Amino acid sequence: MKRNKQMKVYRQEESQSSNAYVQILGTGMDTHDTMPSILLFFDNFRIIFNAGEGLQRFCAEHKIKLSKIDYVCLSRVCSETIGGLPGLLLTLAGIGEGHSVKLRGPSNLKPLVHALKSFIPHASICAERFGVNLSSDAQSHTGSSLPEGPFFVCGSAAVKVSAILLQPCISEDSSLKPSDVSVVYICELAEIKGKFHNEKADALGLNPGPKRRELKNGKSVKSDRLDIMVHPSDVIDPSTQGPVVLIVDCPTESHAGKLFITQSLGKYYANLSGEALETVNCVVHLTPASVVQTINYQNWMKKFGSVQHIMAGYSMKNMNIPILKSSARITNQLSYLCPQFFPAPDLEFHEHQNAEMGMEPVKWICDSVLAENLLKFTLLPHSQLGLDKSNVPGFIPSSQVISDLLLEIPEIVEAAQQISQFWCEPTVAKGDSTKDREGLIGDPSLDQSPLPSCLENIRRDDAEIVLLGTCSSQPSKYRNVSSIFVNLFAKGNLLLDCGEGTLAQLKRRYGMDGAADAVKNLRCIWISHIHADHHAGLVRILALRRDLLKGTPHEPLHVIGPKYLESFLYKYKDLEDIDMQFLDCRSTSQASWDTFKRGPVLTDYQTFSPDSMKDEHVNDENEEDGCLQRCSKRQKTNIYVDNCVDYGLQKSLSEVLKEMGLARLISFPVVHCPESFGVILKARERVNNDGALIPGWKVVYSGDTRPCTEVIQAAEAATLLIHEATFEDDLVEEAIARNHSTSKEAMEVGSSAGAYRIILTHFSQRYPKIPSISSEINLEKASIDFDLMSVNLADLPILPRILPYLKLLFKDDITRTLECDV
């Protein structure tokens, strides 16, 4: 059967090297936090199907150029498939040169685009939908079927992509939700021209030259030496059908019922003799195991005859192979050096998952393989049609990583032994003799600060700070973007910022079951500002929590953030329920809490203008503050914060904080973009073994900011200050221009505030492994952080002693950084 005449013929000649393949991009394949992406590659045209969280980081690891992507096509519009879109769109917008990826999806793409425009420049989003507009026509399709298609999606001279819509079977009295629709993509490569036979052309009297080119273009010509017409079929073999790839996302058995009866795939089904009108070469299944392993689904697969099936729906194949090898290697090295602050990744879940997710070895009816990371199916050249495992990464055991480390840095063995002894000491004695400390890299006498009373006899199950993401702007090979997990153990937990990939990081830290428990026990998520690297992982966490607590009585999760985030979240709720209640950061300012304590006066919601709060606002333009004189003037006036009260939600939040053992959660304004905040977490007082009242600990997170009075005041006498240190000290002018801080400035803020301990975070990508910190900076109270670093508050006295050992581990990287600076 002839293909659609709109599709141009793709001419492949023997002298040309035309390449095409479909490849599994295994984002989430080791953590199951998101659906894998599929790359359809041509020399001059590329499509990615689905853009789940971690796509950018995955591509950076495996040197896949996102700037070369022409289209992103979604098989569903939900948190599993779109989590990486915000970062991707913003990154491509930053590249410039007019490049923007084109987004394609079913009609429920509309609410997603509407939501994304809350924080992404409109010009960066080039989206088109196919199918019926569910958002506006939902009522007309209540209890009825949607047109299935096929719909044209996109194409080039090399390929035409069409889509078939799947919907679950719904009752007459129910309506179709936007997130219910899934897609089967049909990728039809152009016909492959037959071989041109020069010897036949010679025999028919054709001289080399333009007439032979005309024949290749399908035109008949007159022979140069004979009185005859020469037709293309006289010298060119017949064209053959180009390869066909199907990408199937069938999320439930209810969707499968529609898939089995669709007429649009009929031409690809084989008859009794094993032949089809058009042959499918490869089917990539994004369908989950629970559906794939039903007998009806496998019988449907059998209809295609001799086809290669790739099962990519949360494949268990090689699940113990880290997708991000670079960061996994560093994590293993850090864990060897100091397992107390860098616990080994929890790998116990692999065996559990094989049973839990149902991907045990199955007697497949068809020719099927489980997807592996970077597995290819070659489409062109046609002579190489088939599976290609040459790029599939092998397993490198952690023991091999450590063996390599010991060969590279032999002294790391003694360093690890010294660190382990820190936890054997009852206290850090100020009277230790020099002899006792001889040979130690981390001198216990470096910090003479007395132990804060809040840390006296503190239990290890009181609080732990886990730095899930420590990079600025966009994820890198070695660091993920901002997210801090505050583990309060039996009292629940909370997240401070939630950048893309937060869920995957939780799974790398706690394992599958542990991460599920962490998400279920979330009591609050606090977001510092609207930049995507601080909140793009939020909807995935919310959607998972919704699913984990389905059928269990619970309250919607409190999400605290800037007002711009509220706009995005409520628009996104038109797409799928995310089971949350939003509270503006301004409603958790000290002034708003004070107003709340006085009780509602006029209404449940009041907003006071800055003019009515002259004594409350900070940082007037005329204020003589050295820090603020060194920030971007563009943002300097955006420090005002209204006293904003939402009595009902504040009451609910205050009860949650009490249950978590927290006395206060206070947001305060900082100097970055409009509506940027830092946060104070203050624990409730406790009684020690002697019956004395002990003050609660105080943790302060700066968010993104220039050094400013607000952070200094907030961090006064803090037990721990986590402060951004995006740039090294030589780049202070860039820090000023971008409203960030240098390492030195962050330390000065902590020192001015009298903070007991300081953790520097949010490092620029120009420092891939370890930031460049001047030797002139006094770090006796501080440490730098790394992804998955876990700091129990009981271990804060030891924290600064680890830094010299970290410098030992990364000494070659520090040397290279210094050489580059020179």
PDB file of all heavy atoms in Angstrom, residues 2-9 160:
ATOM      1  N   LYS A   2       0.501   2.240  -0.795  1.00  0.00           N
ATOM      2  CA  LYS A   2       1.276   3.473  -0.870  1.00  0.00           C
ATOM      3  C   LYS A   2       1.098   4.286   0.405  1.00  0.00           C
ATOM      4  O   LYS A   2       0.010   4.357   0.967  1.00  0.00           O
ATOM      5  CB  LYS A   2       0.813   4.312  -2.076  1.00  0.00           C
ATOM      6  CG  LYS A   2       1.188   3.688  -3.419  1.00  0.00           C
ATOM      7  CD  LYS A   2       2.661   3.877  -3.698  1.00  0.00           C
ATOM      8  CE  LYS A   2       3.009   3.389  -5.109  1.00  0.00           C
ATOM      9  NZ  LYS A   2       4.439   3.531  -5.383  1.00  0.00           N
ATOM     10  N   ARG A   3       2.177   4.910   0.859  1.00  0.00           N
ATOM     11  CA  ARG A   3       2.105   5.797   2.015  1.00  0.00           C
ATOM     12  C   ARG A   3       1.428   7.100   1.611  1.00  0.00           C
ATOM     13  O   ARG A   3       1.247   7.400   0.428  1.00  0.00           O
ATOM     14  CB  ARG A   3       3.510   6.087   2.541  1.00  0.00           C
ATOM     15  CG  ARG A   3       4.217   4.859   3.065  1.00  0.00           C
ATOM     16  CD  ARG A   3       3.803   4.576   4.498  1.00  0.00           C
ATOM     17  NE  ARG A   3       4.411   3.356   4.985  1.00  0.00           N
ATOM     18  CZ  ARG A   3       5.633   3.283   5.455  1.00  0.00           C
ATOM     19  NH1 ARG A   3       6.387   4.341   5.481  1.00  0.00           N
ATOM     20  NH2 ARG A   3       6.101   2.142   5.895  1.00  0.00           N
ATOM     21  N   ASN A   4       1.090   7.914   2.574  1.00  0.00           N
ATOM     22  CA  ASN A   4       0.492   9.223   2.340  1.00  0.00           C
ATOM     23  C   ASN A   4       1.348  10.019   1.365  1.00  0.00           C
ATOM     24  O   ASN A   4       2.552  10.150   1.518  1.00  0.00           O
ATOM     25  CB  ASN A   4       0.402   9.968   3.685  1.00  0.00           C
ATOM     26  CG  ASN A   4      -0.424  11.228   3.573  1.00  0.00           C
ATOM     27  OD1 ASN A   4      -0.346  11.946   2.604  1.00  0.00           O
ATOM     28  ND2 ASN A   4      -1.226  11.457   4.607  1.00  0.00           N
ATOM     29  N   LYS A   5       0.721  10.562   0.338  1.00  0.00           N
ATOM     30  CA  LYS A   5       1.479  11.263  -0.703  1.00  0.00           C
ATOM     31  C   LYS A   5       2.128  12.532  -0.184  1.00  0.00           C
ATOM     32  O   LYS A   5       3.023  13.083  -0.825  1.00  0.00           O
ATOM     33  CB  LYS A   5       0.551  11.594  -1.878  1.00  0.00           C
ATOM     34  CG  LYS A   5       0.096  10.352  -2.639  1.00  0.00           C
ATOM     35  CD  LYS A   5      -0.752  10.739  -3.845  1.00  0.00           C
ATOM     36  CE  LYS A   5      -1.185   9.500  -4.624  1.00  0.00           C
ATOM     37  NZ  LYS A   5      -2.010   9.860  -5.795  1.00  0.00           N
ATOM     38  N   GLN A   6       1.651  13.019   0.989  1.00  0.00           N
ATOM     39  CA  GLN A   6       2.278  14.217   1.557  1.00  0.00           C
ATOM     40  C   GLN A   6       3.701  13.946   1.999  1.00  0.00           C
ATOM     41  O   GLN A   6       4.508  14.857   2.092  1.00  0.00           O
ATOM     42  CB  GLN A   6       1.472  14.710   2.758  1.00  0.00           C
ATOM     43  CG  GLN A   6       0.101  15.245   2.396  1.00  0.00           C
ATOM     44  CD  GLN A   6      -0.636  15.703   3.625  1.00  0.00           C
ATOM     45  OE1 GLN A   6      -0.285  15.358   4.743  1.00  0.00           O
ATOM     46  NE2 GLN A   6      -1.679  16.490   3.428  1.00  0.00           N
ATOM     47  N   MET A   7       4.006  12.669   2.238  1.00  0.00           N
ATOM     48  CA  MET A   7       5.343  12.341   2.735  1.00  0.00           C
ATOM     49  C   MET A   7       6.306  12.255   1.574  1.00  0.00           C
ATOM     50  O   MET A   7       6.074  11.533   0.614  1.00  0.00           O
ATOM     51  CB  MET A   7       5.317  11.022   3.505  1.00  0.00           C
ATOM     52  CG  MET A   7       6.597  10.770   4.261  1.00  0.00           C
ATOM     53  SD  MET A   7       6.411   9.443   5.442  1.00  0.00           S
ATOM     54  CE  MET A   7       6.781   8.060   4.400  1.00  0.00           C
ATOM     55  N   LYS A   8       7.389  12.973   1.669  1.00  0.00           N
ATOM     56  CA  LYS A   8       8.385  12.976   0.624  1.00  0.00           C
ATOM     57  C   LYS A   8       9.154  11.674   0.606  1.00  0.00           C
ATOM     58  O   LYS A   8       9.283  10.996   1.622  1.00  0.00           O
ATOM     59  CB  LYS A   8       9.367  14.138   0.822  1.00  0.00           C
ATOM     60  CG  LYS A   8       8.699  15.504   0.790  1.00  0.00           C
ATOM     61  CD  LYS A   8       9.710  16.598   1.054  1.00  0.00           C
ATOM     62  CE  LYS A   8       9.035  17.956   1.064  1.00  0.00           C
ATOM     63  NZ  LYS A   8      10.003  19.033   1.356  1.00  0.00           N
ATOM     64  N   VAL A   9       9.674  11.309  -0.517  1.00  0.00           N
ATOM     65  CA  VAL A   9      10.473  10.101  -0.625  1.00  0.00           C
ATOM     66  C   VAL A   9      11.871  10.381  -0.114  1.00  0.00           C
ATOM     67  O   VAL A   9      12.490  11.376  -0.470  1.00  0.00           O
ATOM     68  CB  VAL A   9      10.520   9.614  -2.086  1.00  0.00           C
ATOM     69  CG1 VAL A   9      11.468   8.437  -2.231  1.00  0.00           C
ATOM     70  CG2 VAL A   9       9.123   9.216  -2.543  1.00  0.00           C
ATOM     71  N   LYS A 160       7.308  10.321   8.852  1.00  0.00           N
ATOM     72  CA  LYS A 160       6.014  10.901   9.214  1.00  0.00           C
ATOM     73  C   LYS A 160       5.574  10.270  10.518  1.00  0.00           C
ATOM     74  O   LYS A 160       5.582   9.041  10.662  1.00  0.00           O
ATOM     75  CB  LYS A 160       4.957  10.646   8.146  1.00  0.00           C
ATOM     76  CG  LYS A 160       3.613  11.306   8.465  1.00  0.00           C
ATOM     77  CD  LYS A 160       2.550  10.970   7.445  1.00  0.00           C
ATOM     78  CE  LYS A 160       1.983   9.579   7.692  1.00  0.00           C
ATOM     79  NZ  LYS A 160       0.787   9.304   6.836  1.00  0.00           N
TER      80      LYS A 160
END
